[in-house]
Short mmCIF file of all heavy atoms in Angstrom, two decimals:
data_model
loop_
_atom_site.label_atom_id
_atom_site.label_comp_id
_atom_site.label_asym_id
_atom_site.label_seq_id
_atom_site.Cartn_x
_atom_site.Cartn_y
_atom_site.Cartn_z
N VAL L 1 180.54 129.22 44.24
CA VAL L 1 180.89 128.07 44.89
C VAL L 1 180.51 128.19 46.42
O VAL L 1 180.00 127.28 47.10
CB VAL L 1 182.34 127.71 44.76
CG1 VAL L 1 182.78 126.60 45.66
CG2 VAL L 1 182.60 127.26 43.24
N GLY L 2 180.85 129.32 47.02
CA GLY L 2 180.46 129.60 48.43
C GLY L 2 178.97 129.59 48.61
O GLY L 2 178.51 129.01 49.62
N VAL L 3 178.20 130.12 47.73
CA VAL L 3 176.73 130.10 47.89
C VAL L 3 176.27 128.60 47.83
O VAL L 3 175.50 128.23 48.65
CB VAL L 3 176.03 130.95 46.81
CG1 VAL L 3 174.53 130.70 46.80
CG2 VAL L 3 176.26 132.42 47.14
N TRP L 4 176.77 127.83 46.89
CA TRP L 4 176.35 126.49 46.81
C TRP L 4 176.81 125.65 48.00
O TRP L 4 175.99 124.81 48.56
CB TRP L 4 176.94 125.84 45.57
CG TRP L 4 176.11 126.03 44.34
CD1 TRP L 4 176.51 126.81 43.24
CD2 TRP L 4 174.86 125.61 44.01
NE1 TRP L 4 175.55 126.86 42.36
CE2 TRP L 4 174.47 126.15 42.80
CE3 TRP L 4 173.94 124.80 44.73
CZ2 TRP L 4 173.19 125.82 42.23
CZ3 TRP L 4 172.71 124.52 44.10
CH2 TRP L 4 172.34 125.03 42.83
N LEU L 5 177.92 125.81 48.51
CA LEU L 5 178.41 125.18 49.74
C LEU L 5 177.52 125.56 50.90
O LEU L 5 177.20 124.73 51.72
CB LEU L 5 179.85 125.40 50.01
CG LEU L 5 180.94 124.73 49.09
CD1 LEU L 5 182.29 125.09 49.36
CD2 LEU L 5 180.79 123.22 49.22
N THR L 6 177.29 126.85 50.99
CA THR L 6 176.32 127.34 52.11
C THR L 6 175.00 126.69 52.03
O THR L 6 174.40 126.19 52.98
CB THR L 6 176.30 128.85 52.20
OG1 THR L 6 177.63 129.39 52.19
CG2 THR L 6 175.39 129.37 53.29
N LEU L 7 174.45 126.67 50.83
CA LEU L 7 173.21 126.02 50.60
C LEU L 7 173.16 124.55 50.99
O LEU L 7 172.18 123.94 51.64
CB LEU L 7 172.64 126.29 49.16
CG LEU L 7 171.37 125.73 48.83
CD1 LEU L 7 170.27 126.50 49.63
CD2 LEU L 7 171.07 125.86 47.27
N ALA L 8 174.30 123.83 50.63
CA ALA L 8 174.40 122.42 50.93
C ALA L 8 174.45 122.16 52.47
O ALA L 8 173.80 121.30 52.95
CB ALA L 8 175.63 121.89 50.26
N VAL L 9 175.15 123.05 53.11
CA VAL L 9 175.25 122.92 54.59
C VAL L 9 173.92 123.15 55.23
O VAL L 9 173.50 122.46 56.15
CB VAL L 9 176.37 123.82 55.20
CG1 VAL L 9 176.23 124.05 56.67
CG2 VAL L 9 177.77 123.46 54.74
N VAL L 10 173.20 124.19 54.82
CA VAL L 10 171.81 124.49 55.28
C VAL L 10 170.88 123.28 55.06
O VAL L 10 170.12 122.90 56.00
CB VAL L 10 171.31 125.74 54.55
CG1 VAL L 10 169.82 125.92 54.89
CG2 VAL L 10 172.05 126.93 55.10
N VAL L 11 170.94 122.71 53.88
CA VAL L 11 170.09 121.45 53.60
C VAL L 11 170.43 120.38 54.48
O VAL L 11 169.54 119.69 55.01
CB VAL L 11 170.15 121.15 52.11
CG1 VAL L 11 169.54 119.80 51.84
CG2 VAL L 11 169.51 122.20 51.17
N VAL L 12 171.64 120.06 54.65
CA VAL L 12 172.10 118.95 55.46
C VAL L 12 171.68 119.19 57.00
O VAL L 12 171.20 118.30 57.61
CB VAL L 12 173.64 118.66 55.36
CG1 VAL L 12 174.13 117.72 56.41
CG2 VAL L 12 174.01 118.11 54.05
N VAL L 13 171.92 120.38 57.49
CA VAL L 13 171.58 120.72 58.82
C VAL L 13 170.02 120.65 58.99
O VAL L 13 169.57 120.05 60.01
CB VAL L 13 172.13 122.03 59.28
CG1 VAL L 13 171.48 122.56 60.60
CG2 VAL L 13 173.65 122.00 59.39
N ALA L 14 169.34 121.14 58.06
CA ALA L 14 167.81 121.15 58.14
C ALA L 14 167.33 119.63 58.08
O ALA L 14 166.44 119.30 58.83
CB ALA L 14 167.25 121.97 57.06
N SER L 15 167.93 118.89 57.22
CA SER L 15 167.54 117.44 57.12
C SER L 15 167.79 116.76 58.45
O SER L 15 167.03 115.94 58.90
CB SER L 15 168.30 116.77 56.02
OG SER L 15 168.00 115.42 55.99
N ALA L 16 169.00 117.04 59.01
CA ALA L 16 169.34 116.35 60.28
C ALA L 16 168.41 116.79 61.49
O ALA L 16 168.07 116.14 62.37
CB ALA L 16 170.78 116.59 60.64
N SER L 17 168.05 118.04 61.41
CA SER L 17 167.24 118.68 62.42
C SER L 17 165.72 118.38 62.36
O SER L 17 165.16 117.97 63.38
CB SER L 17 167.30 120.14 62.53
OG SER L 17 168.75 120.50 62.71
N PHE L 18 165.21 118.39 61.16
CA PHE L 18 163.76 118.29 61.04
C PHE L 18 163.30 117.03 60.28
O PHE L 18 162.14 116.66 60.24
CB PHE L 18 163.16 119.48 60.24
CG PHE L 18 163.59 120.81 60.86
CD1 PHE L 18 164.42 121.68 60.38
CD2 PHE L 18 162.98 121.15 62.08
CE1 PHE L 18 164.67 122.83 60.94
CE2 PHE L 18 163.25 122.30 62.74
CZ PHE L 18 164.15 123.20 62.18
N GLY L 19 164.26 116.30 59.74
CA GLY L 19 163.93 115.16 58.86
C GLY L 19 163.67 113.90 59.80
O GLY L 19 163.86 114.01 61.01
N ARG L 20 163.12 112.97 59.20
CA ARG L 20 162.79 111.71 60.03
C ARG L 20 163.81 110.59 59.55
O ARG L 20 164.37 110.72 58.46
CB ARG L 20 161.33 111.26 59.82
CG ARG L 20 161.05 110.87 58.34
CD ARG L 20 159.60 110.46 58.35
NE ARG L 20 159.17 110.15 56.93
CZ ARG L 20 159.32 108.93 56.35
NH1 ARG L 20 159.70 107.95 57.11
NH2 ARG L 20 158.91 108.81 55.19
N GLU L 21 163.90 109.54 60.31
CA GLU L 21 164.74 108.49 60.01
C GLU L 21 164.23 107.69 58.88
O GLU L 21 163.03 107.39 58.86
CB GLU L 21 165.00 107.61 61.19
CG GLU L 21 166.06 106.56 61.00
CD GLU L 21 166.39 105.74 62.24
OE1 GLU L 21 166.20 106.35 63.35
OE2 GLU L 21 166.77 104.60 62.10
N LEU L 22 165.06 107.42 57.90
CA LEU L 22 164.68 106.57 56.79
C LEU L 22 164.59 105.09 57.06
O LEU L 22 165.44 104.63 57.93
CB LEU L 22 165.61 106.86 55.57
CG LEU L 22 165.64 108.26 55.14
CD1 LEU L 22 166.65 108.36 53.96
CD2 LEU L 22 164.37 108.85 54.68
N ASP L 23 163.72 104.44 56.57
CA ASP L 23 163.63 102.95 56.77
C ASP L 23 163.54 102.21 55.35
O ASP L 23 162.97 102.78 54.41
CB ASP L 23 162.47 102.54 57.57
CG ASP L 23 161.08 102.97 56.98
OD1 ASP L 23 161.14 103.75 56.12
OD2 ASP L 23 160.13 102.42 57.49
N ASP L 24 164.20 101.05 55.29
CA ASP L 24 164.14 100.22 54.13
C ASP L 24 162.98 99.33 54.28
O ASP L 24 162.92 98.39 55.11
CB ASP L 24 165.39 99.43 53.92
CG ASP L 24 166.60 100.33 53.57
OD1 ASP L 24 166.37 101.41 53.02
OD2 ASP L 24 167.73 100.00 53.80
N SER L 25 161.97 99.46 53.43
CA SER L 25 160.69 98.56 53.58
C SER L 25 160.10 98.42 52.25
O SER L 25 160.12 99.39 51.46
CB SER L 25 159.74 99.29 54.56
OG SER L 25 158.58 98.54 54.62
N PHE L 26 159.51 97.28 52.03
CA PHE L 26 158.75 97.09 50.83
C PHE L 26 157.26 97.42 51.03
O PHE L 26 156.44 97.22 50.15
CB PHE L 26 158.84 95.63 50.39
CG PHE L 26 160.20 95.29 49.88
CD1 PHE L 26 161.02 94.44 50.56
CD2 PHE L 26 160.60 95.75 48.65
CE1 PHE L 26 162.31 94.09 50.03
CE2 PHE L 26 161.81 95.46 48.15
CZ PHE L 26 162.69 94.61 48.81
N ALA L 27 156.88 97.95 52.27
CA ALA L 27 155.50 98.27 52.47
C ALA L 27 155.17 99.57 51.76
O ALA L 27 155.87 100.55 51.84
CB ALA L 27 155.31 98.37 53.98
N VAL L 28 153.99 99.46 51.05
CA VAL L 28 153.49 100.72 50.45
C VAL L 28 151.98 100.86 50.84
O VAL L 28 151.11 100.25 50.20
CB VAL L 28 153.64 100.66 48.87
CG1 VAL L 28 153.17 101.98 48.25
CG2 VAL L 28 155.05 100.35 48.43
N PRO L 29 151.74 101.66 51.87
CA PRO L 29 150.39 101.75 52.32
C PRO L 29 149.49 102.26 51.29
O PRO L 29 149.81 103.12 50.50
CB PRO L 29 150.52 102.75 53.49
CG PRO L 29 151.94 102.73 53.90
CD PRO L 29 152.67 102.45 52.66
N GLY L 30 148.24 101.67 51.25
CA GLY L 30 147.29 102.20 50.36
C GLY L 30 147.05 101.35 49.08
O GLY L 30 146.13 101.43 48.27
N LEU L 31 148.14 100.48 48.72
CA LEU L 31 148.00 99.70 47.52
C LEU L 31 147.23 98.40 47.82
O LEU L 31 147.39 97.91 48.86
CB LEU L 31 149.47 99.34 47.01
CG LEU L 31 150.26 100.53 46.44
CD1 LEU L 31 151.50 100.00 45.95
CD2 LEU L 31 149.43 101.14 45.27
N ASP L 32 146.52 97.90 46.81
CA ASP L 32 145.81 96.69 46.97
C ASP L 32 146.69 95.46 47.33
O ASP L 32 146.36 94.64 48.15
CB ASP L 32 145.00 96.36 45.65
CG ASP L 32 143.98 97.28 45.35
OD1 ASP L 32 143.47 98.01 46.36
OD2 ASP L 32 143.53 97.41 44.26
N SER L 33 147.88 95.44 46.73
CA SER L 33 148.84 94.32 47.02
C SER L 33 149.25 94.37 48.41
O SER L 33 149.46 93.37 49.04
CB SER L 33 150.04 94.41 45.97
OG SER L 33 150.67 95.59 46.09
N GLN L 34 149.52 95.60 48.93
CA GLN L 34 149.94 95.75 50.34
C GLN L 34 148.85 95.30 51.30
O GLN L 34 149.07 94.67 52.26
CB GLN L 34 150.33 97.22 50.70
CG GLN L 34 150.81 97.34 52.09
CD GLN L 34 152.11 96.61 52.35
OE1 GLN L 34 152.96 96.51 51.52
NE2 GLN L 34 152.16 95.90 53.45
N GLU L 35 147.54 95.61 50.92
CA GLU L 35 146.43 95.17 51.76
C GLU L 35 146.35 93.62 51.70
O GLU L 35 146.05 93.03 52.70
CB GLU L 35 145.12 95.71 51.21
CG GLU L 35 144.99 97.22 51.51
CD GLU L 35 143.76 97.77 50.89
OE1 GLU L 35 142.77 96.98 50.67
OE2 GLU L 35 143.71 98.99 50.62
N ALA L 36 146.62 92.96 50.60
CA ALA L 36 146.61 91.58 50.50
C ALA L 36 147.69 90.91 51.40
O ALA L 36 147.48 89.94 52.15
CB ALA L 36 146.80 91.05 49.08
N VAL L 37 148.89 91.53 51.39
CA VAL L 37 150.05 91.01 52.24
C VAL L 37 149.62 91.20 53.64
O VAL L 37 149.98 90.30 54.40
CB VAL L 37 151.34 91.74 51.79
CG1 VAL L 37 152.40 91.42 52.76
CG2 VAL L 37 151.79 91.32 50.41
N ASP L 38 149.13 92.33 53.98
CA ASP L 38 148.70 92.61 55.37
C ASP L 38 147.61 91.55 55.82
O ASP L 38 147.69 91.02 56.98
CB ASP L 38 148.12 93.95 55.59
CG ASP L 38 149.30 95.05 55.38
OD1 ASP L 38 150.47 94.68 55.49
OD2 ASP L 38 148.88 96.21 55.20
N LEU L 39 146.70 91.24 54.99
CA LEU L 39 145.69 90.28 55.30
C LEU L 39 146.28 88.82 55.52
O LEU L 39 145.93 88.11 56.47
CB LEU L 39 144.57 90.15 54.24
CG LEU L 39 143.54 91.28 54.27
CD1 LEU L 39 142.67 91.17 52.98
CD2 LEU L 39 142.74 91.21 55.41
N LEU L 40 147.16 88.46 54.63
CA LEU L 40 147.85 87.18 54.77
C LEU L 40 148.73 87.09 56.01
O LEU L 40 148.72 86.11 56.80
CB LEU L 40 148.78 86.90 53.54
CG LEU L 40 148.08 86.51 52.27
CD1 LEU L 40 148.99 86.47 51.03
CD2 LEU L 40 147.38 85.14 52.43
#
């Protein structure tokens, strides 16, 4: 349990330190449908 908790803390700290901010978006770069929406 201690190892799992330590691992969870390390993952959370690493995510907060090195991760990027998440965004809610329907945009999927590279898909044909996204290119059509961008053109419109």
Side-chain angles (χ1 to χ4, degrees):
V1 169
V3 168
W4 277 112
L5 286 176
T6 303
L7 183 63
V9 168
V10 167
V11 167
V12 169
V13 169
S15 174
S17 299
F18 304 110
R20 62 181 178 92
E21 186 173 332
L22 301 177
D23 60 344
D24 290 336
S25 173
F26 287 111
V28 183
L31 290 182
D32 292 340
S33 58
Q34 183 63 45
E35 290 178 25
V37 169
D38 292 342
L39 283 172
L40 285 170

